[in-house]
């Protein structure tokens, strides 16, 4: 009981000094006082400033000497979306990312479920495979795939059909951890047993009992997979090159070229940043109760 | 009788693995085969005979040695700064109230995902020759200009953008391990904040923070998108292993066997790192049941 | 050992008033139990005395020294927490030594003191174990030793026994009392368990909704509750709702004066052990509805035929006297009017 009390009240603890004027202000400060607040503010600023710069760049008319642009315009955004290359690139990235996310869910969720409910020996293998994209740099995997595919299926090089399974493989770790945690929290073993005693078959169990209970985990995993695929450069550049230009590759190409329209590039970067922002918000939203549970137990 | 029971066993085995097989197949093929291919490629010649020449030739070149040292040095610096800045930040975030915390975690999430090419561009827009912050600094009177993007410190700054938030997110669970009650108990035992951190906080967190340092170190050593964007076409710039790999494919370097050698070197580093990570976290958990 | 003076202390959390002008004087060397259910403010008061949750209003004095806003680490206290709060990276020995180490005492003196305390709590054999190698009872004893190490003027215990299982709880309860009496530290113990409070304390402070209901020695509290709430909280009494006629209440053939009652009905308390078994012909007839064996006593749920109608009463009788008495049997019961406590209706809050 004391635990819960101190937890609940720690957030609104009053200051030690009797000064009442500063009291309310101090109560809103994070633990650690002024130093902590400054650190937090500095971090947030550090993260947001480059994004702000990009956003301003995308709506600026001229911008050379002053801190802020000379004038604002939406012309660049219009130009960007009018450009066929721009649209194709964006469409490709979105399509690839969605495909990666959906297929990863379809592949990972059954494996996770089966590991928990039927065969625990699957786990070490999945964990090992999931660790690979983290331990081994993706660039290494990319070059390796180039080598192997060149010898076995050279026709696929440069097409999205090689890229898609590659993205699925490097993104699956996030999907796996998200779904695994979600299934653990939901207690799928207990749910399955209960469903069986009610007479449900495998299909009914999965679609009517398991999926509704691990929904947030599935969605969160899908979002993470989407994010990985959308932002991925090494595999795209090395396996597909300019034959399948995605957003990151487009960005790189424009950065390297001498006569590119940087304003349009800013638009593309701003779009990709906005998408990343939405994805992150989605993940945090879906996982908000997880963070709380951990604090409550502590 | 034996035949049918063998078949029954095989069918049973297949059923035991069934739902996991597609995933294992895809991930296995796409992840494991390239690793094996790289290892093989690094120790064979063009006609398939075993040789260690690739390794000796590659590492005899000064540029390769430079690249490895630079990569390790850069990764270590990045990881250390990430630890020094990220750990206090992580602690502050872990103690925020629910809504506040969720918001800050969201912002950090965005930053970690923004570690690709887009960051390269944003970097130019912010700290480049005509970048926003550069202009601001000149306005305010600070003549010092930010480090050029292809230099050591320029790279460190670019790497830190996503690695500090990544460190924070990685070490958040460890911060939850530190119970507020211990601080209260320490206070009732007359300890100052410094004494608490020195005797209790740091000893408990240390293994986890070091493990996270190791993760950032390995991750930085293997980063590809950002360094290629910032210095891909400047051979004389700060050499890095991943950029060398890029050049060996798209540039004009002699001997295509350099790339597998570098690749396997990175893999070796990663595996060593993973083993160390496992060891450290296991020892970190020993007091915490 | 300090006296503690709590003067008009209030504490607010947001719009919730956790402590409402609480005042209390604790004598030197006294063991006080703060008793109440969750949310009554007992833990908040303890933490205010510890300095972990300073009050918004009022003063707290140790021996006439105002400590109200003094940081925790400068107060001469030792504290035992509900969850033990032992430092997991230190051994038992190191945990106990910590308050002394932090105060800069020299290693040899620390060593002697720690050995002394290890002997006191009986954990010398586990001195070099880590908390995760100890049982709950052992951890709590270590926490107690750590709190006592710097010879504190005030010992604070926040529900120290709640996390332990029943057998260990009783044993440790007696240990704590024994040690406190030997050392004569002023001590405050927070609990929601009334039997625990009655067992260990010199005086019990019953709290409700941020205020003090009653302060009394355990036997006084048990025999003479001064409010409906205290009466209902302490002991497992019969609580009856009876009409008041001419300032008196009738129960089981006796008439009890109800001087303080100005309402039409009264809340009447009677302890189960004060329901007496009578011979046939005397007292009231009652039917045994249920019997529950509790070791030394057996509890009987009786339906008594009283003047106003049927009355449900609990009676506790020594088991060896009631072996033949079964459900469905008839008994005769009577009471002594001096054992009946009468309060105005609607003062009883559900404890």
């Amino acid at each position: 009981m004391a635990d819960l009390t101190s937890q609940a009240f720690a957030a609104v603890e009053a200051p030690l000094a009797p000064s009442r004027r500063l009291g309310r202000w101090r109560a809103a400060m994070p633990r650690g006082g002024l130093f902590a607040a400054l650190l937090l503010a500095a971090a947030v600023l550090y993260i947001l400033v480059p994004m702000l710069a990009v956003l301003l760049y995308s709506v600026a008319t001229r911008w050379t000497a002053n801190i802020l642009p000379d004038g604002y315009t939406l012309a660049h955004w219009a130009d960007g979306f009018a450009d066929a290359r721009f649209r194709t690139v964006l469409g490709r990235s979105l399509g690839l990312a969605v495909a990666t996310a959906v297929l990863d869910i379809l592949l990972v969720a059954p494996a996770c479920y089966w590991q928990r409910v039927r065969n625990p020996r699957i786990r070490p293998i999945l964990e090992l495979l999931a660790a690979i994209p983290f331990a081994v740099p993706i660039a290494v995997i990319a070059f390796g795939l180039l080598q192997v595919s060149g010898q076995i299926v050279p026709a696929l090089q440069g097409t999205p059909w090689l890229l898609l399974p590659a993205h699925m493989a490097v993104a699956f770790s996030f999907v796996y951890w998200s779904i695994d945690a979600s299934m653990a929290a939901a207690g799928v073993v207990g749910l399955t047993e209960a469903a069986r005693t009610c007479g449900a078959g495998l299909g009914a169990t999965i679609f009517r009992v398991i999926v509704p209970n691990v929904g947030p985990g599935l969605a969160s995993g899908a979002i993470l997979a989407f994010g990985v695929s959308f932002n991925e450069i090494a595999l795209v550049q090395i396996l597909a090159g300019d034959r399948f230009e995605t957003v990151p590759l487009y960005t790189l190409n424009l950065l390297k070229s001498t006569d590119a329209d940087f304003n349009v590039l800013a638009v593309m970067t701003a779009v990709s940043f906005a998408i990343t922002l939405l994805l992150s918000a989605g993940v945090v939203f879906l996982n908000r109760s997880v963070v709380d549970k951990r604090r409550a137990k502590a | 009788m034996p035949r049918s029971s063998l078949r029954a066993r095989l069918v049973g085995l297949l059923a035991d693995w069934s739902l996991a097989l597609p995933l294992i197949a895809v991930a296995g093929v796409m992840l494991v085969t390239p690793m094996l291919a790289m290892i093989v490629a690094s120790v064979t010649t063009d006609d398939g005979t075993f040789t260690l020449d690739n390794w000796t030739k590659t590492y005899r070149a000064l540029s390769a040695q430079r690249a490895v040292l630079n990569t390790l040095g850069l990764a270590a610096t990045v990881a250390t700064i990430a630890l020094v800045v990220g750990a206090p930040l992580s602690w502050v975030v872990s103690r925020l109230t629910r809504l506040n915390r969720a918001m800050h975690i969201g912002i950090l999430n965005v930053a970690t995902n923004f570690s690709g090419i887009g960051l390269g561009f944003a970097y130019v827009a912010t700290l480049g020759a005509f970048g926003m912050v550069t202009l601001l600094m000149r306005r305010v009177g600070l003549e010092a200009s930010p480090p050029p993007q292809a230099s050591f410190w320029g790279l460190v700054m670019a790497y830190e953008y996503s690695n500090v938030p990544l460190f924070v997110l990685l070490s958040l669970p460890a911060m939850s391990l530190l119970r507020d009650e211990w601080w209260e108990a320490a206070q009732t035992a007359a300890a100052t904040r410094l004494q608490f951190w020195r005797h209790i906080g740091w000893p408990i967190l240390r293994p986890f923070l070091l493990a996270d340092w190791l993760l950032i170190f390995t991750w930085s050593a293997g980063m590809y998108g950002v360094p290629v964007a910032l210095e891909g076409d400047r051979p004389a710039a700060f050499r890095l292993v991943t950029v060398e790999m890029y050049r060996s494919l798209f540039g004009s370097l002699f001997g295509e066997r350099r790339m597998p050698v570098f690749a396997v070197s990175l893999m070796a580093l990663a595996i060593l790192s993973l083993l160390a990570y496992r060891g450290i976290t296991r020892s970190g958990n020993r007091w915490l049941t | 050992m300090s006296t503690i003076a709590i003067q008009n202390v209030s504490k607010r959390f947001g719009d919730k008033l956790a402590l409402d002008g609480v005042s209390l004087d604790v004598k030197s060397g006294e063991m006080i139990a703060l008793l109440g259910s969750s949310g009554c403010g007992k833990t908040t008061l303890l933490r205010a005395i510890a300095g972990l949750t300073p009050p918004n209003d009022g003063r707290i004095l140790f021996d006439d020294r105002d400590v109200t806003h003094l940081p925790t680490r400068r107060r001469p206290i030792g504290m035992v927490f509900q969850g033990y709060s032992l430092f997991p990276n230190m051994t038992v020995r190191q945990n106990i030594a910590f308050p002394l180490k932090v105060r800069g005492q020299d290693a040899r003196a620390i060593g002697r003191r720690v050995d002394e305390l290890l002997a006191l709590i009986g954990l010398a054999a586990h001195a070099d174990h880590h908390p995760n190698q100890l049982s709950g009872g052992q951890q709590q004893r270590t926490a107690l030793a750590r709190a006592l190490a710097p010879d504190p003027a005030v010992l604070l215990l926040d529900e120290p026994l709640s996390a332990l299982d029943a057998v260990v709880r009783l044993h440790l309860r007696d240990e704590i009392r024994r040690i406190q009496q030997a050392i004569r530290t002023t001590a405050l113990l927070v609990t929601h368990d009334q039997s625990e409070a009655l067992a260990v304390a010199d005086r019990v402070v019953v709290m409700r909704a941020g205020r003090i209901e009653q302060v009394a020695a355990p036997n006084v509290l048990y025999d003479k509750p001064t409010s409906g709430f205290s009466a209902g909280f302490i002991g497992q009494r019969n609580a009856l709702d009876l009409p008041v006629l001419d300032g008196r209440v009738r129960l089981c053939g006796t008439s009890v004066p109800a001087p303080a009652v100005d309402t039409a009905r009264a809340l009447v308390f009677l302890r189960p052990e004060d329901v007496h078994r009578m011979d046939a012909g005397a007292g009231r007839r009652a039917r045994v509805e249920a019997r529950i064996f509790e070791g030394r006593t057996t509890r009987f749920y009786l339906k008594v035929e009283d003047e106003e109608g049927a009355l449900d009463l609990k009676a506790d009788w020594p088991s060896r006297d009631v072996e033949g008495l079964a459900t469905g049997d008839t008994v005769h019961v009577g009471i002594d009017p001096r054992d009946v406590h009468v309060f105005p209706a609607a003062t009883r809050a559900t404890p």
Side-chain angles (χ1 to χ4, degrees):
Chain A
M1 215 195 310
D3 256 54
L4 287 173
T5 323
S6 62
Q7 282 295 317
F9 295 143
V12 284
E13 208 176 293
L16 276 150
S19 160
R20 219 127 327 142
R21 246 174 305 128
L22 293 176
R24 239 196 353 5
W25 216 70
R26 287 238 187 100
M29 287 257 203
R31 283 263 304 276
L34 192 63
F35 173 71
L38 283 177
L39 187 62
L40 217 53
V44 170
L45 217 67
Y46 178 63
I47 291 174
L48 292 181
V49 162
M51 298 180 177
L52 184 65
V54 168
L55 192 64
L56 287 178
Y57 210 121
S58 72
V59 292
T61 49
R62 250 174 52 90
W63 193 12
T64 46
N66 306 313
I67 303 170
L68 291 176
D70 295 337
Y72 298 92
T73 171
L74 286 175
H76 307 307
W77 283 76
D79 289 341
F81 280 94
D83 179 23
R85 182 182 175 197
F86 185 99
R87 287 200 311 269
T88 323
V89 164
L90 193 55
R92 283 208 193 106
S93 271
L94 288 171
L96 184 60
V98 168
T100 305
V102 169
L103 288 174
D104 257 343
I105 298 282
L106 290 177
L107 238 52
V108 174
C112 240
Y113 180 66
W114 215 232
Q115 179 265 308
R116 289 189 163 269
V117 166
R118 175 81 172 245
N119 184 3
R121 279 187 291 178
I122 296 177
R123 189 178 193 87
I125 301 208
L126 288 187
E127 299 220 311
L128 188 63
L129 288 173
I132 293 180
F134 277 84
V136 179
I138 298 189
V140 170
I141 296 175
F143 284 112
L145 281 175
L146 184 68
Q147 193 96 313
V148 172
S149 62
Q151 288 164 2
I152 304 181
V153 280
L156 283 185
Q157 286 185 343
T159 69
W161 304 112
L162 184 59
L163 208 44
L164 180 58
H167 271 198
M168 282 165 62
V170 301
F172 105 89
S173 312
F174 295 97
V175 184
Y176 172 70
W177 288 325
S178 180
I179 296 184
D180 191 51
S182 182
M183 285 195 174
V188 287
V189 176
L191 287 175
T192 305
E193 289 177 348
R196 240 183 248 151
T197 61
C198 291
L202 187 64
T205 307
I206 290 184
F207 288 108
R208 282 155 166 265
V209 174
I210 305 293
V211 169
N213 278 295
V214 297
L218 294 179
S220 172
I223 292 178
L224 291 168
F226 184 99
V228 169
S229 168
F230 194 85
N231 284 313
E232 206 284 317
I233 177 77
L235 285 166
V236 170
Q237 184 188 52
I238 293 165
L239 291 180
D242 288 335
R243 275 188 273 173
F244 192 80
E245 210 181 19
T246 58
V247 171
L249 193 56
Y250 172 88
T251 309
L252 181 63
N253 287 335
L254 251 58
L255 268 179
K256 298 295 168 205
S257 73
T258 43
D259 61 350
D261 186 353
F262 268 27
N263 290 307
V264 174
L265 178 56
V267 174
M268 181 65 96
T269 310
V271 168
S272 106
F273 153 58
I275 293 178
T276 310
L277 185 63
L278 279 170
L279 295 181
S280 301
V283 171
V284 173
F285 175 75
L286 288 167
N287 284 315
R288 62 201 184 289
S289 56
V290 175
V291 189
D292 290 337
K293 271 187 212 133
R294 247 182 298 183
R295 275 283 286 158
K297 253 200 273 176
Chain B
M1 262 50 60
R3 202 185 295 156
S4 62
S5 79
L6 180 66
R7 177 196 258 164
R9 277 230 298 272
L10 280 175
V11 170
L13 195 68
L14 200 64
D16 277 347
W17 290 82
S18 56
L19 288 189
L21 285 177
L23 177 63
I24 296 178
V26 173
V29 166
M30 304 307 286
L31 295 176
V32 176
T33 47
M35 285 169 66
L36 296 175
M38 285 280 110
I39 295 176
V40 167
S42 71
V43 289
T44 53
T45 60
D46 286 341
D47 43 5
T49 51
F50 181 85
T51 173
L52 288 175
D53 280 354
N54 297 325
W55 284 79
T56 48
K57 259 193 271 174
T58 305
Y59 280 111
R60 198 168 293 152
L62 236 62
S63 60
Q65 294 169 15
R66 272 278 83 192
V68 170
L69 287 173
N70 284 349
T71 302
L72 294 177
L74 180 67
T77 311
V78 168
T80 309
I81 296 179
L83 171 63
V84 168
V85 176
L89 199 53
S90 180
W91 188 85
V92 172
V93 172
S94 73
R95 261 58 188 170
L96 289 176
T97 57
R98 199 176 310 161
L99 213 62
N100 229 350
R101 187 170 61 230
M103 198 179 73
H104 282 87
I105 290 179
I107 295 179
L108 291 168
N109 231 306
V110 174
T112 39
N113 280 322
F114 207 42
S115 67
I117 300 286
L119 177 62
F121 176 66
Y123 192 84
V124 171
T126 315
L127 292 168
F130 293 106
M132 204 165 93
V133 172
T134 318
L135 293 173
L136 180 69
M137 280 166 63
R138 286 214 198 107
R139 253 309 178 75
V140 171
L142 293 162
E143 260 319 307
S145 50
Q149 62 199 52
S151 67
F152 178 74
W153 287 109
L155 285 166
V156 168
M157 285 189 70
Y159 276 45
E160 294 297 3
Y161 183 84
S162 60
N163 279 330
V164 169
L166 184 60
F167 188 93
V168 172
L169 292 177
L170 286 174
S171 56
L172 267 181
M175 296 298 167
S176 300
L177 289 174
L178 214 55
R179 294 212 246 139
D180 290 339
E181 272 199 334
W182 292 330
W183 168 228
E184 289 186 346
Q187 279 180 289
T188 63
T192 59
R193 262 190 213 278
L194 196 63
Q195 283 167 324
F196 169 74
W197 282 109
R198 182 171 152 223
H199 293 287
I200 299 153
W202 174 244
I204 294 180
L205 285 180
R206 187 178 48 216
F208 300 102
L209 293 180
L210 288 183
D212 292 331
W213 184 97
L214 211 52
L215 282 179
I216 301 285
F217 175 79
T218 316
W219 184 249
S220 300
M223 263 173 93
Y224 179 83
V226 173
V228 164
L230 289 180
E231 62 167 38
D233 6 279
R234 302 181 211 192
F238 195 76
R239 288 189 186 274
L240 290 172
V241 173
T242 45
V243 179
E244 295 295 298
M245 288 170 70
Y246 163 76
R247 288 206 193 104
S248 77
L249 214 58
F250 296 100
S252 55
L253 281 181
F254 39 87
E256 349 93 51
R257 294 293 164 158
R258 271 190 143 200
M259 192 258 286
V261 170
F262 283 139
V264 176
S265 308
L266 285 176
M267 271 166 59
L269 175 67
I271 291 173
L272 280 174
S273 206
L274 193 66
L275 292 172
Y277 179 83
R278 281 256 173 83
I280 296 178
T281 39
R282 198 170 302 147
S283 85
N285 275 312
R286 80 197 126 108
W287 296 318
L288 298 165
T289 317
Chain C
M1 299 312 156
S2 293
T3 63
I4 307 177
I6 299 163
Q7 296 171 348
N8 228 325
V9 163
S10 291
K11 178 69 178 174
R12 194 173 229 102
F13 292 111
D15 50 0
K16 178 183 149 88
L17 190 59
L19 288 175
D20 191 2
V22 170
S23 296
L24 180 68
D25 280 306
V26 181
K27 305 195 210 38
S28 166
E30 193 178 22
M31 167 84 114
I32 294 271
L34 297 175
L35 174 66
S37 38
S38 30
C40 71
K42 57 193 193 298
T43 302
T44 312
L45 183 58
L46 193 80
R47 290 169 62 88
I49 298 171
L52 295 169
T53 318
N56 298 124
D57 271 317
R59 298 202 305 161
I60 298 175
L61 301 113
F62 288 0
D63 269 343
D64 299 327
R65 178 184 170 205
D66 190 337
V67 298
T68 322
H69 294 292
L70 195 65
T72 303
R73 62 179 176 81
R74 298 238 289 266
R75 302 191 190 202
I77 60 173
M79 187 157 173
V80 178
F81 295 81
Q82 184 179 6
Y84 328 136
S85 290
L86 294 177
F87 306 128
N89 58 314
M90 298 184 189
T91 60
V92 166
R93 195 183 290 274
Q94 289 166 333
N95 261 287
I96 299 175
F98 185 73
L100 305 171
K101 188 157 173 207
V102 144
R103 284 170 167 90
Q105 290 187 15
D106 98 291
R108 208 150 356 128
I110 295 180
R112 269 179 281 135
R113 176 78 175 141
V114 171
D115 286 330
E116 191 184 314
L117 287 160
L118 283 170
L120 183 67
I121 59 171
L123 280 177
H126 297 274
D128 294 310
H129 287 170
H130 282 93
N132 63 349
Q133 296 168 292
L134 303 174
S135 71
Q138 289 167 332
Q139 290 186 53
Q140 199 56 300
R141 279 189 274 159
T142 308
L144 184 61
R146 181 180 66 183
L148 292 172
D151 205 16
V154 172
L155 177 65
L156 302 168
L157 304 115
D158 188 1
E159 302 211 43
L161 307 174
S162 302
L164 303 167
D165 41 68
V167 176
V168 179
R169 192 184 305 184
L170 287 180
H171 184 77
L172 203 55
R173 177 195 74 182
D174 296 343
E175 278 277 298
I176 291 176
R177 178 54 162 165
R178 196 176 55 78
I179 293 176
Q180 184 266 335
Q181 285 186 310
I183 298 183
R184 291 263 102 211
T185 317
T186 312
L188 279 102
L189 180 141
V190 163
T191 180
H192 61 266
D193 183 345
Q194 46 99 17
S195 63
E196 190 177 300
L198 296 177
V200 305
D202 290 312
R203 279 191 298 161
V204 177
V205 175
V206 180
M207 290 186 71
R208 171 158 81 116
R211 294 213 187 94
I212 293 183
E213 277 277 320
Q214 184 175 1
V215 183
N219 60 327
V220 173
L221 199 60
Y222 194 71
D223 285 334
K224 299 187 186 53
T226 56
S227 75
F229 180 78
S230 296
F233 202 87
I234 310 279
Q236 297 194 20
R237 300 163 201 280
N238 286 294
L240 305 163
D241 174 27
L242 296 174
V244 181
L245 296 162
D246 296 325
R248 299 183 83 82
V249 165
R250 292 195 60 81
L251 174 63
C252 279
T254 58
S255 171
V256 183
V261 182
D262 50 359
T263 52
R265 297 189 79 84
L267 196 54
V268 177
F269 290 102
L270 178 68
R271 288 184 306 197
E273 63 261 34
D274 290 332
V275 177
H276 302 299
R277 203 170 159 197
M278 321 270 280
D279 295 325
R284 302 306 246 212
R285 262 165 61 106
R287 196 184 111 94
V288 177
E289 303 273 283
R291 65 174 276 163
I292 298 179
F293 178 70
E294 283 174 345
R296 222 171 345 128
T297 57
T298 301
R299 170 158 295 189
F300 286 85
Y301 285 83
L302 305 169
K303 204 148 204 91
V304 180
E305 293 162 25
D306 203 10
E307 292 161 13
E308 299 292 321
L311 212 60
D312 288 313
L313 277 185
K314 292 182 284 218
D316 282 343
W317 293 323
S319 301
R320 72 177 75 147
D321 296 343
V322 296
E323 270 166 34
L325 199 53
T327 308
D329 289 349
T330 303
V331 289
H332 287 254
V333 295
I335 61 174
D336 184 334
R338 287 169 302 177
D339 292 331
V340 179
H341 294 107
V342 185
F343 298 99
T347 54
R348 183 185 188 188
T350 325

